[in-house]
């Protein structure tokens, strides 16, 4: 009975890890694409934060690299998944700091949600 319970918990953890990681990948791919497209809300946010518009491409590259690392982690390269999740956590902590520094608080929930996804992914990846 105890082995069955542990097995069920293991399957639930694996499912949670997979679901949260896929959500984090999808969110970061979407964010990278809109950075590359220089969508109006992204440009407005960049301007409000005082970031050069030329940074949008590189910010998108970092998000896409994080998503790629998480994907490879899901496919079995666990250390790369951990590194990618940690990188995204640091990236979005930086984004929140940039918003606080510039006193642009109206849209701070966006990097907050991305940070929460990255933290959850990191925790679940580390627990695997």
């Amino acid at each position: 009975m105890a082995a069955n319970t542990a097995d069920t918990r293991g399957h639930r953890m694996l499912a949670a890890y997979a679901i949260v990681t896929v959500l984090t990948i999808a969110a970061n791919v979407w964010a990278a694409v809109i950075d590359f497209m220089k969508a109006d809300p992204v440009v407005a946010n960049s301007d409000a934060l005082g970031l050069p518009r030329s940074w949008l491409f590189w910010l998108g590259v970092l998000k896409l690299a994080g998503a790629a690392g998480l994907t490879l982690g899901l496919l079995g390269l666990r250390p790369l998944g951990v590194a990618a999740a940690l990188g995204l956590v640091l990236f979005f902590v930086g984004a929140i700091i940039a918003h606080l520094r510039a006193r642009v608080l109206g849209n701070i929930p966006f990097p907050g949600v991305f940070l929460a996804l990255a933290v959850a992914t990191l925790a679940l990846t580390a627990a695997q």
Side-chain angles (χ1 to χ4, degrees), residues 6-106:
D7 192 41
T8 300
R9 282 190 198 129
H11 287 302
R12 287 182 184 160
M13 274 298 267
L14 182 60
Y17 159 68
I19 291 167
V20 170
T21 301
V22 168
L23 287 173
T24 305
I25 291 166
N28 280 281
V29 168
W30 171 79
V33 168
I34 64 171
D35 284 352
F36 295 147
M37 292 173 50
K38 294 186 178 175
D40 291 341
V42 173
V43 170
N45 186 56
S46 177
D47 290 347
L49 294 175
L51 299 176
R53 291 182 184 184
S54 62
W55 284 23
L56 289 177
F57 174 79
W58 296 109
L59 295 174
V61 167
L62 291 173
K63 292 170 192 170
L64 201 55
L70 292 179
T71 301
L72 292 172
L74 266 179
L75 296 175
L77 296 172
R78 187 172 168 269
L80 190 55
V82 172
L86 180 58
L88 287 171
V89 167
L90 295 173
F91 180 92
F92 289 110
V93 165
I96 288 175
I97 290 169
H99 279 77
L100 293 172
R101 179 190 53 83
R103 298 182 207 255
V104 178
L105 305 179

